Amino acid sequence: SCRASHVGMAATNACHAGLTYLAFLAVGTSCGWFVVNGLYNLAANEPEIAEGGKMIGEINRNGALVSLILCALFGLYPLVFGKISNRVEIWSSSLLILLSLLSLALLSVAWKVPAIVQLCGIFGNLVGNGSILLLFPLIATNYRGWLVAPLRAGTDLSSMISAFLAQAQSSNGVDRSYPTWLLFLFYTIISCSGLVAWCVILKYDIGLRAADTKKPQDADLEAVSAASSVTNEESLKQYPDNGHSKIKDLIGKSLESYACPRSLVAPIVMASLTQITQWSIVGTIGEIGAEMCDPESCSGRSGRFVFRLSLTLSQILVPLGSLVSSLGTCPRW
């Protein structure tokens, strides 16, 4: 009977862990690059919207500007207000998930309007970069460490889902089996599941670290604000008459958060280079290069097919590797 009890408890724990994994996977699917991936697939299936690579180029340009501005604000925030509190991270992450959902819903009714497409591209890049800067640190700090893996896998899973649905809509980038508004409606429904999962996670404190006795939103009322004020007071006392030294000290404290072991420098540099190559070079000229393969013209069916197939493969293979890696354990440094 004792053995049966242990088996039953192990099965219950496994089931609970599986549901927790799926919940954070759904959140990652909703808050990552779902909108941007949806717009890439829109360009692959709608030549009139793509305009020979112009639309993707503008989305990448606007996305780069949004990323630079957001990263600058993220870097300046601690210098002015101190460490970002858990309450801010929770509300910001919730708004990012909601913004992703609203963007997909808007595209389902106005995907033919170029201004709406560009606006949603800005929103999509804001959601993707904001999730990396706010949601991931929130989960890594306040929730069990292994939950970062399904969250990250979920952001990649959104690209796989968008590619599969878009490939089903048009296998050659020209002919369509169902309308584009229905494609974005499918995206919207999937994004809704992430919002529901996030609400359930917050309501029932799913995945919180066992050592935490307070909710994340309660912990910031004293710890974060106190730490911020103490840091600023110490800096003022240390440099009472030298404003330049104070600013230098505050910048140094902010840069400390980027410190990492030497063994991680090479993987970080490699990952950064792959991202630059993917989004700054391949993502920008991929459609143009694919259409130039067409022997008839730059707007021929063969070129559209090459772009459609290459986009599908790129959005499937990377998420597949991410999902596989999320099932294993990662050594800690």
Side-chain angles (χ1 to χ4, degrees):
S1 115
C2 181
R3 183 177 181 181
S5 175
H6 284 299
V7 172
M9 185 177 297
T12 301
N13 292 336
C15 181
H16 184 268
L19 293 175
T20 302
Y21 180 94
L22 292 176
F24 280 85
L25 187 72
V27 172
T29 301
S30 180
C31 74
W33 299 94
F34 207 169
V35 178
V36 175
N37 290 325
L39 292 176
Y40 280 173
N41 284 284
L42 172 66
N45 289 1
E46 295 287 348
E48 297 81 7
I49 297 295
E51 297 184 82
K54 178 182 178 181
M55 194 268 281
I56 287 185
E58 291 177 345
I59 290 176
N60 289 337
R61 178 201 61 198
N62 297 338
L65 293 175
V66 170
S67 301
L68 292 173
I69 294 174
L70 189 61
C71 290
L73 294 176
F74 185 79
L76 292 174
Y77 185 95
L79 299 177
V80 180
F81 302 103
K83 183 178 181 295
I84 299 178
S85 66
N86 289 327
R87 184 186 295 275
V88 171
E89 288 180 335
I90 289 174
W91 278 104
S92 299
S93 299
S94 302
L95 291 176
L96 290 174
I97 295 174
L98 185 60
L99 182 60
S100 177
L101 173 61
L102 294 177
S103 298
L104 293 172
L106 181 60
L107 286 169
S108 68
V109 297
W111 62 269
K112 292 184 178 181
V113 183
I116 296 297
V117 173
Q118 295 299 334
L119 179 63
C120 290
I122 293 174
F123 289 161
N125 280 280
L126 181 63
V127 171
N129 288 285
S131 299
I132 296 173
L133 296 174
L134 294 169
L135 180 60
F136 279 84
L138 172 67
I139 301 302
T141 303
N142 298 284
Y143 293 81
R144 297 168 193 164
W146 66 273
L147 292 175
V148 176
L151 183 72
R152 181 66 184 91
T155 61
D156 288 333
L157 183 62
S158 65
S159 68
M160 181 184 291
I161 293 173
S162 62
F164 274 136
L165 293 177
Q167 183 73 27
Q169 184 202 25
S170 177
S171 60
N172 57 11
V174 179
D175 303 317
R176 289 171 287 280
S177 58
Y178 55 87
T180 300
W181 68 264
L182 186 59
L183 175 65
F184 280 103
L185 181 60
F186 290 153
Y187 293 164
T188 304
I189 294 173
I190 296 171
S191 184
C192 282
S193 66
L195 179 61
V196 172
W198 181 240
C199 292
V200 172
I201 289 171
L202 294 179
K203 181 175 177 59
Y204 296 102
D205 296 335
I206 298 175
L208 279 176
R209 295 183 184 274
D212 294 340
T213 57
K214 296 182 179 180
K215 294 182 180 180
Q217 57 263 42
D218 295 332
D220 71 282
L221 292 178
E222 44 190 356
V224 175
S225 299
S228 174
S229 60
V230 168
T231 301
N232 292 333
E233 289 177 3
E234 290 178 350
S235 299
L236 287 172
K237 292 179 180 179
Q238 187 175 359
Y239 305 101
D241 301 321
N242 194 336
H244 294 289
S245 299
K246 175 195 168 186
I247 295 175
K248 183 178 179 180
D249 180 64
L250 291 176
I251 294 176
K253 291 181 181 298
S254 299
L255 292 177
E256 288 178 359
S257 60
Y258 296 99
C260 69
R262 291 182 180 274
S263 59
L264 292 180
V265 172
I268 290 175
V269 171
M270 185 179 298
S272 301
L273 291 177
T274 57
Q275 292 296 303
I276 294 173
T277 303
Q278 170 67 25
W279 300 110
S280 300
I281 302 177
V282 178
T284 304
I285 66 175
E287 181 181 4
I288 299 174
E291 292 185 343
M292 290 179 66
C293 296
D294 196 303
E296 298 179 0
S297 67
C298 289
S299 59
R301 298 175 67 92
S302 298
R304 298 300 303 177
F305 169 76
V306 170
F307 178 53
R308 173 67 269 173
L309 182 60
S310 61
L311 182 63
T312 299
L313 292 176
S314 67
Q315 292 188 341
I316 288 178
L317 296 178
V318 172
L320 185 61
S322 180
L323 283 172
V324 173
S325 65
S326 70
L327 299 177
T329 57
C330 180
R332 292 182 176 275
W333 51 270

